[in-house]
Amino acid sequence: MAGLAESGSNPDVELLYDINGLAKDAPHWFDRVMEFVGEYGLLFAIVLLVLWCWWGVRRRGGEDAASNVAALMWAPLAAGVAVLVNVPIRGFVERPRPFKSHEGLEVLVQGKDDFSFVSDHATLCMALAVALFVANRKFGIAAIVLALFGGFIRVYMGVHYPTDVVGGFALGTAVALLLSPVAMALLTPLTRAVERSPKAGWLVSARGRAGAAGRGAVIPGTRKESGAGAAGERDLAA
């Protein structure tokens, strides 16, 4: 498997040269921006989307707050699981980085001596994005777009073949979707327990106490009126 994509006549390598060739024609400052975005920026942006979505969920509260927060908790966990799954895959395939097998590439990041397939960055970003999509479609679509752009940048930087990135997308998606039911079954009871906690309940629902106080009312979210208060209102109505 070590010889995968070593031939310069296959579409994978041709696309690598086409995309990486853009880096040769770009200004130096632009390459530095792409390097930062590809290494840190897009992953950080997707994490911010997850946090933004969590903040909105906890502010709204409601009966579904615990399950929604559980779904968001799965996003970083899915990314971690996907990277762990990738460890034996990399060791089995043993594909060298493209710049070790092909000359003339513009490599924006030096010191990449580990194996190339599957891309950890692509795996991380797509696992986060797909898990976020399961929790919230609007935020998830934005995250998936960022993940796809991140995969393009990894090829642009000369550190991955296109199929490295596609493999990372597939792995991240598979882990996020296939293990989601198990994750929700384990995480939802945990978030419900946290929601009931007087000290940590705000992590799940900013309206946790108000919601708990109103659960016995006829209309959810309304307060129960005391007997004296209700009688007073009847007297005023009379």
Side-chain angles (χ1 to χ4, degrees):
M1 298 297 287
L4 187 62
E6 288 185 359
S7 170
S9 61
N10 67 62
D12 193 23
V13 176
E14 291 176 0
L15 188 57
L16 165 68
Y17 275 106
D18 288 341
I19 296 176
N20 181 252
L22 300 174
K24 293 184 177 182
D25 300 330
H28 178 75
W29 65 266
F30 184 80
D31 283 347
R32 298 287 72 81
V33 171
M34 293 290 275
E35 175 189 343
F36 175 79
V37 171
E39 282 287 287
Y40 312 105
L42 288 175
L43 181 59
F44 182 67
I46 295 175
V47 171
L48 285 181
L49 284 176
V50 175
L51 292 175
W52 187 3
C53 188
W54 162 76
W55 186 260
V57 166
R58 65 167 293 275
R59 285 186 63 186
R60 289 193 302 270
E63 296 180 357
D64 296 333
S67 59
N68 290 336
V69 171
L72 292 171
M73 285 179 61
W74 170 233
L77 292 175
V81 171
V83 170
L84 290 177
V85 173
N86 189 30
V87 172
I89 295 176
R90 280 194 166 200
F92 175 73
V93 177
E94 294 184 341
R95 174 193 269 183
R97 294 280 181 170
F99 53 81
K100 292 186 176 182
S101 304
H102 306 283
E103 298 179 355
L105 293 174
E106 185 75 12
V107 183
L108 302 187
V109 179
Q110 304 297 327
K112 299 285 187 180
D113 296 324
D114 54 344
F115 294 125
S116 185
F117 186 91
V118 179
S119 168
D120 275 339
H121 274 78
T123 302
L124 274 170
C125 289
M126 191 54 74
L128 277 168
V130 172
L132 180 56
F133 178 81
V134 172
N136 184 289
R137 289 189 177 182
K138 180 178 69 173
F139 283 92
I141 289 174
I144 290 173
V145 171
L146 291 177
L148 292 173
F149 182 55
F152 172 84
I153 295 180
R154 300 305 291 177
V155 181
Y156 178 95
M157 294 164 59
V159 295
H160 281 294
Y161 295 96
T163 47
D164 296 338
V165 171
V166 173
F169 289 161
L171 177 59
T173 300
V175 169
L177 292 181
L178 295 179
L179 298 183
S180 178
V182 177
M184 290 298 296
L186 296 175
L187 293 174
T188 301
L190 174 62
T191 53
R192 284 176 179 164
V194 173
E195 185 181 21
R196 292 192 296 268
S197 171
K199 294 183 178 180
W202 64 272
L203 291 169
V204 176
S205 175
R207 303 179 183 180
R209 293 181 179 179
R215 282 174 187 169
V218 175
I219 301 176
T222 61
R223 296 180 180 177
K224 285 185 175 181
E225 298 293 337
S226 63
E233 289 180 1
R234 285 194 295 271
D235 290 341
L236 288 174

